[in-house]
């Protein structure tokens, strides 16, 4: 997904730059998988999006905690998981809303923020990064069901709210999760 405003100067960049992992073999393997994934038509529709997580990483902390102020969060997530199949027609790509990921308790946006902070500390991310998940928003997530031997794979595109407002989409940060 790319948005290029009229009159914007563009240049080619490393299409694998989103990956903050240090493992070259891992990079090559997933690069090959992504290159071989079939492209298809993308159609939009409005659907319900509710949180499917029960924990957060507070800004600057290493350990996750239950979502503050939501003592019934587990019950709400369980109820949503049981009923959403009859309400939402699942798809592979979701734009906006709440991030979803198979078998995780923490908000995938929180994980992306922690990964962006780590990438910035390593020098792999050149722009300012807030460590507060409240400063970030989900642009899209993609449940890559068609990746052979990578079932349960999800990509999340997140962006800081101020960058979204300013349409600085080059500052979109991407994470990849795989639950074998």
């Amino acid at each position: 997904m790319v948005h290029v405003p009229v009159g914007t100067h563009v240049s080619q960049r490393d299409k694998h730059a989103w990956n903050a992992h240090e493992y070259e073999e891992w990079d090559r393997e997933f690069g090959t998988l992504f290159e071989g994934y079939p492209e298809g038509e993308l159609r939009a529709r409005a659907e319900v999006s509710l949180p499917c997580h029960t924990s957060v990483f507070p800004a600057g902390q290493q350990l996750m905690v239950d979502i503050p102020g939501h003592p019934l969060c587990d019950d709400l997530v369980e109820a949503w998981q049981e009923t959403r199949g009859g309400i939402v027609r699942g798809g592979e790509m979701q734009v906006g809303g709440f991030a979803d990921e198979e078998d995780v308790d923490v908000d995938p946006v929180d994980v992306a923020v922690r990964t962006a902070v780590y990438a910035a500390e390593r020098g792999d991310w050149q722009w300012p990064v807030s460590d507060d998940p409240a400063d970030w928003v989900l642009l899209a997530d993609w449940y890559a069901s068609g990746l052979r031997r990578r079932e349960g794979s999800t990509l999340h595109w997140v962006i800081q709210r101020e960058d979204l407002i300013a349409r600085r989409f080059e500052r979109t940060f991407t994470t990849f999760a795989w639950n074998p």
Side-chain angles (χ1 to χ4, degrees), residues 5-133:
V6 174
T8 302
H9 174 73
V10 296
S11 61
Q12 190 169 358
R13 66 179 177 143
D14 179 3
K15 63 184 171 183
H16 301 292
W18 57 271
N19 183 1
H21 294 277
E22 297 178 3
Y23 310 105
E24 287 184 27
E25 184 177 321
W26 191 93
D27 294 343
R28 280 193 304 273
E29 179 182 357
F30 284 98
T32 301
L33 284 170
F34 292 136
E35 291 293 329
Y37 194 81
E39 292 184 21
E41 194 171 303
L42 183 62
R43 296 183 180 269
R45 67 176 178 249
E47 295 288 351
V48 176
S49 177
L50 295 173
C52 290
H53 57 276
T54 59
S55 304
V56 295
F57 285 106
Q61 294 188 22
Q62 295 297 314
L63 299 176
M64 65 181 178
V65 299
D66 289 341
I67 295 176
H70 293 279
L72 300 176
C73 186
D74 289 321
D75 295 333
L76 293 171
V77 168
E78 183 179 337
W80 175 236
Q81 294 288 12
E82 289 175 4
T83 59
R84 77 179 187 174
I87 299 169
V88 176
R89 293 171 289 175
E92 292 184 350
M93 175 69 79
Q94 173 184 306
V95 177
F98 290 96
D100 194 8
E101 189 175 301
E102 184 181 45
D103 199 37
V104 296
D105 293 327
V106 70
D107 183 352
V109 173
D110 285 15
V111 174
V113 171
R114 291 170 52 87
T115 307
V117 168
Y118 174 68
E121 289 170 354
R122 285 187 29 193
D124 293 334
W125 188 254
Q126 62 189 3
W127 297 289
V129 174
S130 170
D131 68 350
D132 185 354

Side-chain angles (χ1 to χ4, degrees), residues 164-177:
L164 178 60
I165 291 166
R167 296 184 177 189
R168 293 187 293 247
F169 291 100
E170 73 278 6
R171 296 183 182 190
T172 300
F173 195 84
T174 308
T175 57
F176 174 82

